[in-house]
């Protein structure tokens, strides 16, 4: 299929070349110009109803909406001309006629496009007098996680178009007409669709709100960090929003190759475990009275003695929710043993696709790094792990909850080393327990079901003395002579890329924020 020819035009004095058929609002971004808009969204069909993106095009008698106008050769577009500014200022004035002054109590304050554009281009004061009261309608519970505040609604219809064309479940509509219009919900229906939470992200004002996030924090109090959803093997790109060292919200991060602009509600609310209060906060070593807290030097020395003093077979039980770097270093640490590794993958029946987006679904594999574990030689045969445990000289557990094992499966294991975030009952017989960080507390990578390696970033500090798994394993490698200590997640990934052909040529710099595919012809099938 041939590529579309390029069209050259000038936007605000900057000449740009974009493919034929590109909308002016997208072409302007190439010139570094963001045209104000409300109804337009790149992941939704064009509606052209808000009239906020009016621009002046030389040779045309009237202003044009940039969201529905395609580029043409030689076009000269003026976004900030006095005529365009005056038109957008008038649109804003109409939008504000009935809009309440809810900014001090509105969850959207600080992230509100209405606030932003009024500040940039709006009138310095209103011409609307208190003699004409604003329209008022009560808050409505749409069901699921969504509240609707009709007073703030500007009828951009993003939510309606998402449900109609992307979710393909027409629950919402525009009811009534004119100044009486509002977003309605069909009788007998609730907005409990498994992808419905996206309407909150799409709303440009504070009209659609998340009950889960309601009044938790103001936008300017949040630290936002790029991460990867851990809900399933899709590997959706997300932002973790943190406040006071706790994750309070997950929102989608655009990546056209993975999840476009959306995430499912299962992944959206899969964050509370990141804030667990029963974490292991200090290294533990076994003495006569049981496990006792100690410092890192003592714990690492004890673990190294166990590893150096054992011979024969070693078993690694790992979680498919730990980083690719940790999986690789755990295997290297046990390299001198007759090694075998296992992981348990939670699966559910069926998948929940988002119909309007190809290859996007809540997958039946409920783990972010099952593909990475398979690529590095870990097996999913948990039944085969039980007899292997009985013959093992050393068992290394990497954040596996061990809930799939019977109570006595590890009772005969003499040398058990547990690296984890919380201590399960089955691991209380470990000789050494080393606390590690979870996905929100470290840098690392996951490999999704399509073989795309993607980075995630540290969003908050780990509790107590917990450290990233790559750091702990690197220290153990140095103590046991299995390799040098690892000083960063990037260095751990460099070792991985040098040793594994599937990752050859990849680096954190090349992965960036969008990720890159592994070097394997069968990569699409590797985790299915």
């Amino acid at each position: 299929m041939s590529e579309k020819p390029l069209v050259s035009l000038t936007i605000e004095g900057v000449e740009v070349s974009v493919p034929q058929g590109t909308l002016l609002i997208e072409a302007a971004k190439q010139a570094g110009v963001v045209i104000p808009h409300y109804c337009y969204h790149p992941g939704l069909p064009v509606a052209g109803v808000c009239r906020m993106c009016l621009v002046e095009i030389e040779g045309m008698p009237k202003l044009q909406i940039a969201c529905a106008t395609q580029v043409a050769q030689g076009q000269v577009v003026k976004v900030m001309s006095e005529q365009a500014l005056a038109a957008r200022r008038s649109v804003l004035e109409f939008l504000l006629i009935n809009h309440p002054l809810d900014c001090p109590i509105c969850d959207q304050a600080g992230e509100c496009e209405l606030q932003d554009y009024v500040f940039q281009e709006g009138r310095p004061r209103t011409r609307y007098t208190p003699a004409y009261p604003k329209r008022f309608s009560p808050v409505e519970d749409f069901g699921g996680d969504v509240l609707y505040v009709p007073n703030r609604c500007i009828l951009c219809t993003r939510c309606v178009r998402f449900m109609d064309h992307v979710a393909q479940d027409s629950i919402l509509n525009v009811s009534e007409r004119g100044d009486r219009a509002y977003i309605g919900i069909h009788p007998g229906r609730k907005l409990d669709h498994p992808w419905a939470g996206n309407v909150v992200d799409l709303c440009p004002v504070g009209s659609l709100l998340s009950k889960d996030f309601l009044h938790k924090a103001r936008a300017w109090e949040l630290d936002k960090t790029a991460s990867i959803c851990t809900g399933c093997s899709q590997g959706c790109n997300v932002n973790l929003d943190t406040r006071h060292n706790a994750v309070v919200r997950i929102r989608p991060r655009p990546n056209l190759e993975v999840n476009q602009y959306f995430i499912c509600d299962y992944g959206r609310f899969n964050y509370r475990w990141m804030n667990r209060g029963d974490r292991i906060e200090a290294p533990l070593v076994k003495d006569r009275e049981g496990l006792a807290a100690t410092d890192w030097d003592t714990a690492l020395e004890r673990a190294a003695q166990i590893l150096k003093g054992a011979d024969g077979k070693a078993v690694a039980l790992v979680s498919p929710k730990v980083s690719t770097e940790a999986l690789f270093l755990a295997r290297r640490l046990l390299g001198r043993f007759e090694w075998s590794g296992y992981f348990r993958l939670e699966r559910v029946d069926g998948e929940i696709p988002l119909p309007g987006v190809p290859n996007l679904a809540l997958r039946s594999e409920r783990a972010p790094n099952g593909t990475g574990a398979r690529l590095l030689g870990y097996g999913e045969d948990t039944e085969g792990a039980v007899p292997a445990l009985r013959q093992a000289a050393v068992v290394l557990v990497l954040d596996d909850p061990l809930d799939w094992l019977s109570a006595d499966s590890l009772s005969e294991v003499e040398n058990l080393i547990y690296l984890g975030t919380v201590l399960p009952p089955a691991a209380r017989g470990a000789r050494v327990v080393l606390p590690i960080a979870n996905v929100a507390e470290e840098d690392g990578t996951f490999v999704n079901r399509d073989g795309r390696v993607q980075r995630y970033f540290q969003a908050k500090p780990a509790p107590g003395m917990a450290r990233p798994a790559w750091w702990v394993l690197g220290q153990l490698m140095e103590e046991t002579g299995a390799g040098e200590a690892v000083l960063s997640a990037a260095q751990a990934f460099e070792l991985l890329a040098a040793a594994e052909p599937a990752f050859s040529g990849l680096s954190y710099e090349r992965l960036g924020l969008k990720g890159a595919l592994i070097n394997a012809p069968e990569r699409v099938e590797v985790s299915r």
Side-chain angles (χ1 to χ4, degrees):
M1 185 177 178
S2 60
E3 295 184 359
K4 294 181 179 179
L6 294 180
V7 172
S8 296
L9 67 157
T10 302
I11 302 176
E12 280 299 295
V14 179
E15 187 171 331
V16 296
S17 295
V18 296
Q20 187 178 47
T22 302
L23 297 173
L24 276 180
I25 196 167
E26 290 295 331
K29 296 175 184 177
Q30 304 299 315
V33 177
V34 177
I35 299 176
H37 59 278
Y38 291 122
C39 68
Y40 175 77
H41 188 279
L44 300 175
V46 172
V49 296
C50 76
R51 322 308 289 181
M52 189 62 202
C53 61
L54 289 165
V55 296
E56 182 180 351
I57 301 176
E58 286 190 2
M60 289 193 174
K62 295 182 179 181
L63 299 177
Q64 303 296 313
I65 51 173
C67 72
T69 304
Q70 295 185 0
V71 296
Q73 185 67 34
Q75 268 181 341
V76 178
V77 181
K78 298 177 182 178
V79 178
M80 305 304 291
S81 70
E82 186 53 43
Q83 187 181 5
L85 283 170
R88 295 202 296 270
R89 194 176 298 122
S90 296
V91 170
L92 280 171
E93 186 176 26
F94 277 114
L95 290 176
L96 290 171
I97 283 178
N98 281 301
H99 200 84
L101 299 177
D102 282 350
C103 298
I105 60 168
C106 180
D107 266 4
Q108 197 79 1
E111 298 174 328
C112 176
E113 294 175 35
L114 190 59
Q115 275 184 342
D116 294 341
Y117 295 145
V118 169
F119 177 77
Q120 293 172 21
E121 301 185 354
R123 291 179 176 274
R125 59 185 60 84
T126 181
R127 296 188 293 174
Y128 198 71
T129 67
Y132 301 95
K134 293 178 182 285
R135 181 185 58 203
F136 176 81
S137 299
V139 175
E140 185 176 354
D141 188 341
F142 272 180
D145 183 56
V146 182
L147 290 176
Y148 176 51
V149 186
N151 304 306
R152 303 172 187 167
C153 184
I154 60 173
L155 291 172
C156 69
T157 71
R158 284 187 185 182
C159 55
V160 177
R161 283 176 285 142
F162 173 80
M163 294 307 301
D164 283 351
H165 301 282
V166 184
Q168 295 182 9
D169 188 0
S170 299
I171 300 175
L172 302 178
N173 59 62
V174 178
S175 298
E176 298 291 351
R177 293 185 176 184
D179 68 343
R180 294 170 296 176
Y182 62 93
I183 301 299
I185 187 165
H186 287 288
R189 298 295 306 274
K190 290 184 178 181
L191 199 58
D192 53 4
H193 190 279
W195 294 80
N198 289 285
V199 302
V200 177
D201 305 321
L202 291 168
C203 184
V205 295
S207 187
L208 294 173
L209 300 174
S210 166
K211 300 175 193 174
D212 179 71
F213 183 68
L214 193 64
H215 305 320
K216 276 187 179 178
R218 307 312 298 262
W220 51 87
E221 298 173 325
L222 299 174
D223 294 317
K224 305 178 191 305
T225 308
S227 191
I228 302 298
C229 179
T230 61
C232 75
S233 59
Q234 180 73 31
C236 291
N237 290 212
V238 298
N239 283 316
L240 298 184
D241 291 354
T242 56
R243 179 178 184 238
H244 296 161
N245 297 332
V247 179
V248 297
R249 181 174 66 173
I250 293 181
R251 303 185 84 186
R253 178 167 55 91
N255 188 333
L256 299 182
E257 301 297 326
V258 181
N259 58 301
Q260 290 200 10
Y261 307 92
F262 313 111
I263 58 171
C264 70
D265 287 5
Y266 178 83
R268 183 184 300 274
F269 303 126
N270 184 33
Y271 67 87
R272 293 175 181 84
W273 62 271
M274 300 178 189
N275 305 322
R276 289 184 64 163
D278 57 345
R279 296 285 297 278
I280 310 169
E281 296 194 7
L284 308 173
V285 296
K286 190 174 185 179
D287 59 20
R288 293 178 181 178
E289 298 180 359
L291 291 171
T294 186
D295 57 71
W296 271 108
D297 289 341
T298 302
L300 291 170
E301 183 180 358
R302 180 72 64 86
Q305 288 174 353
I306 294 170
L307 291 167
K308 289 189 290 186
D311 288 305
K313 297 182 178 181
V315 174
L317 303 178
V318 302
S319 167
K321 295 184 179 181
V322 299
S323 69
T324 319
E325 292 82 353
L327 294 172
F328 170 73
L329 294 178
R331 192 188 72 181
R332 174 162 286 193
L333 176 64
L334 301 177
R336 74 175 186 86
F337 294 91
E338 185 181 338
W339 174 88
S340 60
Y342 304 90
F343 69 98
R344 179 179 179 273
L345 193 61
E346 179 189 355
R347 279 191 172 88
V348 299
D349 293 333
E351 299 184 341
I352 305 175
L354 184 60
V357 180
N359 196 33
L360 177 58
L362 171 59
R363 303 298 178 180
S364 58
E365 279 191 5
R366 295 298 169 86
N369 209 18
T371 302
R374 295 187 189 95
L375 286 169
L376 293 173
Y378 293 88
E380 201 179 338
D381 179 21
T382 52
E383 292 184 4
V386 176
L389 291 173
R390 298 193 184 103
Q391 303 173 20
V394 174
V395 174
L396 178 73
V397 181
L398 184 54
D399 211 32
D400 190 308
L402 304 176
D403 52 4
W404 52 277
L405 288 172
S406 62
D408 60 345
S409 297
L410 295 173
S411 60
E412 299 179 7
V413 176
E414 182 180 355
N415 296 318
L416 175 62
I417 300 173
Y418 184 82
L419 284 70
T421 52
V422 297
L423 186 62
R428 296 190 183 277
R431 292 185 62 184
V432 180
V433 175
L434 303 175
I436 61 173
N438 65 31
V439 65
E441 300 159 356
E442 65 172 9
D443 293 346
T445 60
F446 292 140
V447 186
N448 81 344
R449 68 192 303 269
D450 296 319
R452 180 171 292 274
V453 187
Q454 301 184 102
R455 291 184 64 184
Y456 60 84
F457 297 78
Q458 181 180 359
K460 67 187 185 75
M465 299 166 66
R467 297 291 183 268
W470 54 259
W471 181 89
V472 178
L473 293 164
Q475 293 296 315
L476 287 175
M477 284 167 51
E478 185 174 56
E479 292 276 349
T480 60
E484 295 182 357
V486 178
L487 302 178
S488 68
Q491 184 184 353
F493 191 82
E494 287 176 8
L495 294 174
L496 165 64
E500 293 295 321
F503 296 85
S504 176
L506 298 181
S507 65
Y508 271 18
E509 183 178 3
R510 182 177 170 188
L511 295 181
L513 289 173
K514 302 298 182 183
L517 292 171
I518 58 173
N519 305 307
E522 68 278 16
R523 58 177 170 250
V524 175
E525 302 298 330
V526 74
S527 64
R528 294 183 182 175

